[in-house]
Amino acid sequence: RESRPAPAHWPVEVLLFGGSDLESLRQSLSAARGDLLDGGQLSALASKRPALNSVHRAGLVATSADEAVARIDRIIAAIENGKDRLRSPDGTILGVPVEDPRVGFLCPGEGSQRPGMFQDLAACLPSVEDWFVELDSTLLAADVQPMTSKMWSQPLAPTDPSELSGVFGGTQSLAVASVASADTLARLGVAPSAVLGQSSGEFAAGVISGAVSGMRTDELMPAIARVTEVQVAAAQRFPLPPGATFAINGRTVDDVRGVVEQTPTAVITNVNAPSVCVVWVADAHREEFLAAVRAPGTVIGELPFTLAYHTEAFTPRAEMMREAYQDIDVRRAQLPWYSCSTTERVDADADSIRDLLAEQWWKPVDFAATITRMVEEQALTCLVEVGPGTMLGACSTDVLRGT
């Protein structure tokens, strides 16, 4: 770290705007747009902050002046069309401040990893880099290849996304990404009122809730080391059937369930929104399933992992994982924690939490029902996906539309 030059500026900037009414906000956005078109620096504009008493506010995330101008144009168009609210997964927002905001953290599971994840953040924040450096050391001690060399590959030799998934470092790096995000937000004064765990993100949710291990590297890394040791042994002892995992978008879950019931080995593993679900199917029936599920308006994406997560095939490995969780410090959650494997709040003793962590590997996931319950019961006003992607945020918007 000492030999590496510090970045001159953030590679991604957050721009915030405010106004006493929508017209004054529009004027502020138009002025910023003009500055950028005249060659103004994105970093200089990002250093400005709206008045704390601004009634109407807008914000966006951008990597370049052109991107910022395009997103400013979208906000201006919304205002000119009579809208006072806008929310997009890319970080473009328009709205009014919320008094006493209640924030929910969403910890994602497999499939949200991507090449380059957290690379910019680690370059700018040593505290974030420390989390991944410690993870690399922990994985090396378990004879598992470090993850940063895969995550932070060079542009001319990008990593295959499939190399970032799986139990040989993939789920571990995802847990660290969520915990590092929560740690960074805590340093900025953002504290969650509740936390949700989706799929393998359950472990990170347990950590953030105060139920599992701890939020320091010297507390968390021994727990990850033990989990990794058992995961490696379980993978060697219980090989899984070859298969593929598909995200199905644009067909109702009931429609997809009808196809699954007619396709041998096919299982709906995740329900993320009314028309978004995930299906695992064995290779032998892959083409049969794809032919049956295709329909006008349906988008099918193959996810970069093949393990039969959230199916009965994973049960033997999950039972072995119970051994690892027995050796980890676990206590009642100090923060409301919701599990997508039960769709309920985790209000249980240590042994029951260990059971949940083990069983979530083979139980199906229902994010849609869980996020609905958590938002309602905890009266949440804002959701933050603490991880490398935006899928849960987008699904939350779909699930909670109109509420």
Side-chain angles (χ1 to χ4, degrees), residues 256-267 279-282 284-293:
V256 177
R257 185 171 287 112
V259 174
V260 164
E261 290 174 351
Q262 299 300 316
T263 308
T265 74
V267 180
V279 174
W280 182 90
V281 62
H285 300 280
R286 171 194 176 109
E287 297 307 319
E288 176 185 351
F289 169 73
L290 291 176
V293 81

Side-chain angles (χ1 to χ4, degrees), residues 381-393:
T381 59
C382 177
L383 299 173
V384 178
E385 184 166 350
V386 285
T390 59
M391 186 275 290
L392 294 186

Side-chain angles (χ1 to χ4, degrees), residues 184-198:
T184 301
L185 289 168
R187 294 168 186 262
L188 296 173
V190 179
S193 299
V195 60
L196 175 148
Q198 187 243 14

Side-chain angles (χ1 to χ4, degrees), residues 256-334:
V256 177
R257 185 171 287 112
V259 174
V260 164
E261 290 174 351
Q262 299 300 316
T263 308
T265 74
V267 180
I268 294 179
T269 61
N270 300 55
V271 174
N272 292 329
S275 60
V276 181
C277 64
V278 176
V279 174
W280 182 90
V281 62
D283 281 347
H285 300 280
R286 171 194 176 109
E287 297 307 319
E288 176 185 351
F289 169 73
L290 291 176
V293 81
R294 287 191 181 100
T298 300
V299 178
I300 304 171
E302 184 167 1
L303 298 179
F305 57 89
T306 62
L307 295 182
Y309 295 121
H310 311 302
T311 73
E312 291 185 359
F314 217 95
T315 304
R317 288 197 187 187
E319 289 304 311
M320 273 194 71
M321 289 302 301
R322 201 183 300 268
E323 299 176 15
Y325 300 128
Q326 290 295 333
D327 298 332
I328 293 175
D329 184 23
V330 176
R331 66 199 76 83
R332 282 188 177 274
Q334 301 167 32

